[in-house]
Amino acid sequence: MINKKRTKVMAMVLTAAMVLTLAVFTSGATYNVQAVYGLQGYVELTGGLQFGATTVSGSQGRTTVNNHEYAAAVFGTGGWSSNGSYTFNNVDYRAAFDSAVGDGQTGASYFDGAKLGYAGIEFKTAQKVTQIALMPRQGYSTNRLVGAQFQGSDNGVNYTTLYTVSRVNTSGATNVSTADGLDASKAYKYYRLIGTSGMPDVFNIAEIKVYADANTGTGVGTGTGILAMPGYTELTGGLSFGGTTVSGSQGRTIVNNHPYVAAVFGTGGWSSSGYTFNNVDYRAAFDSKVGIWLP
């Protein structure tokens, strides 16, 4: 039997958490080291994309991006359809860049590509990518992503492989940096993640995030936030929690080494014995975790 009262309360808690996560942005700040999954020290280059018109040439589609600081367009191949063909639909290359990350089965988007399918980003100017985050499709993290290649190109025709996916987290985003073997020695205008013939199955990816180093990368600008609102800097991203103190019904948790935030505070989260300070208390509203895919 479903406890409707508890379900309603939890829905309200989740809604409040999402609103808090989305709301704290400013156009006047100059801090450029925010990223979609709390990657302090990096600027996200691919967040908050607003898609424009799509054109198709042969097996590749290209969709313009409206009013973005870095991105000019996304491009790639079609997604699987029920008749077994790959067409331009709601699971094509665009799904890899739409910031929609969830369970991959109940409405959240993912790119359902062929074995040699690909999803890419075209920047306005060449960018030196120093970190990527890969969110797999639920249930297909290994057999449909391991073996894919992240590539860069000057002209969108001839590509250089910069990293081959060798590991994937099954319960969250896989962050890949130069320490993992990502080649960031050169800035490219075009980047793509492409399936390979050596993969055991077809190529699926729920989301691709691309970052530049805030200090040495070429992408430093106004910065982006958790849902990457171009022209705004997120003030609450990448929080690292310290000690927590409780006074009455309010808890307060200090934030370590952040340029803006001193602490987060709030009330307890639901438990079977009432509202207590636990893993669903106020801190969950500021931990940069949305849905089930984020680490």
Side-chain angles (χ1 to χ4, degrees):
M1 179 177 179
I2 297 174
N3 186 327
K4 293 183 178 180
K5 182 177 180 181
R6 181 176 181 270
T7 302
K8 182 177 181 181
V9 170
M10 290 301 291
M12 292 173 65
V13 170
L14 176 60
T15 302
M18 293 180 71
V19 169
L20 283 170
T21 302
L22 298 176
V24 190
F25 295 87
T26 177
S27 58
T30 57
Y31 181 52
N32 297 317
V33 295
Q34 306 299 337
V36 69
Y37 300 120
L39 297 173
Q40 259 186 310
Y42 294 85
V43 173
E44 185 191 351
L45 304 177
T46 51
L49 305 184
Q50 299 176 12
F51 297 148
T54 296
T55 56
V56 176
S57 177
S59 62
Q60 178 174 290
R62 180 182 184 274
T63 302
T64 59
V65 171
N66 300 325
N67 306 316
H68 197 272
E69 186 171 5
Y70 307 120
V74 295
F75 61 89
T77 52
W80 186 86
S81 61
S82 58
N83 64 7
S85 64
Y86 288 85
T87 61
F88 295 99
N89 51 34
N90 65 331
V91 291
D92 66 20
Y93 63 94
R94 288 168 288 193
F97 296 101
D98 62 0
S99 292
V101 181
D103 65 13
Q105 302 293 333
T106 57
S109 71
Y110 51 85
F111 172 41
D112 192 358
K115 179 170 283 193
L116 299 179
Y118 58 89
I121 184 83
E122 174 189 338
F123 291 114
K124 293 178 179 178
T125 58
Q127 302 289 341
K128 184 179 288 187
V129 171
T130 56
Q131 184 150 177
I132 58 176
L134 306 176
M135 277 63 71
R137 177 185 174 188
Q138 183 184 14
Y140 301 90
S141 58
T142 300
N143 64 332
R144 294 190 179 184
L145 188 51
V146 169
Q149 295 180 341
F150 183 68
Q151 301 178 331
S153 173
D154 296 320
N155 56 16
V157 176
N158 303 309
Y159 281 86
T160 298
T161 297
L162 307 175
Y163 176 76
T164 299
V165 179
S166 59
R167 61 178 179 85
V168 178
N169 295 338
T170 57
S171 60
T174 299
N175 296 324
V176 178
S177 70
T178 53
D180 302 299
L182 175 64
D183 182 357
S185 59
K186 180 181 176 180
Y188 293 98
K189 186 175 181 180
Y190 301 86
Y191 289 91
R192 70 181 183 181
L193 189 68
I194 185 171
T196 61
S197 58
M199 295 173 66
D201 206 335
V202 295
F203 172 46
N204 286 179
I205 181 78
E207 195 75 14
I208 304 167
K209 295 294 181 184
V210 177
Y211 305 90
D213 190 285
N215 299 315
T216 61
T218 57
V220 177
T222 57
T224 53
I226 188 166
L227 291 186
M229 299 168 64
Y232 291 82
T233 294
E234 184 187 356
L235 301 181
T236 51
L239 303 187
S240 174
F241 297 147
T244 296
T245 57
V246 176
S247 178
S249 62
Q250 177 175 290
R252 180 181 185 273
T253 302
I254 62 173
V255 171
N256 301 320
N257 305 316
H258 199 276
Y260 303 128
V261 181
V264 296
F265 60 89
T267 53
W270 186 90
S271 70
S272 58
S273 59
Y275 286 85
T276 62
F277 295 99
N278 50 35
N279 66 332
V280 291
D281 65 21
Y282 64 95
R283 288 167 289 192
F286 297 100
D287 63 0
S288 293
K289 297 180 181 179
V290 181
I292 69 168
W293 280 118
L294 309 189

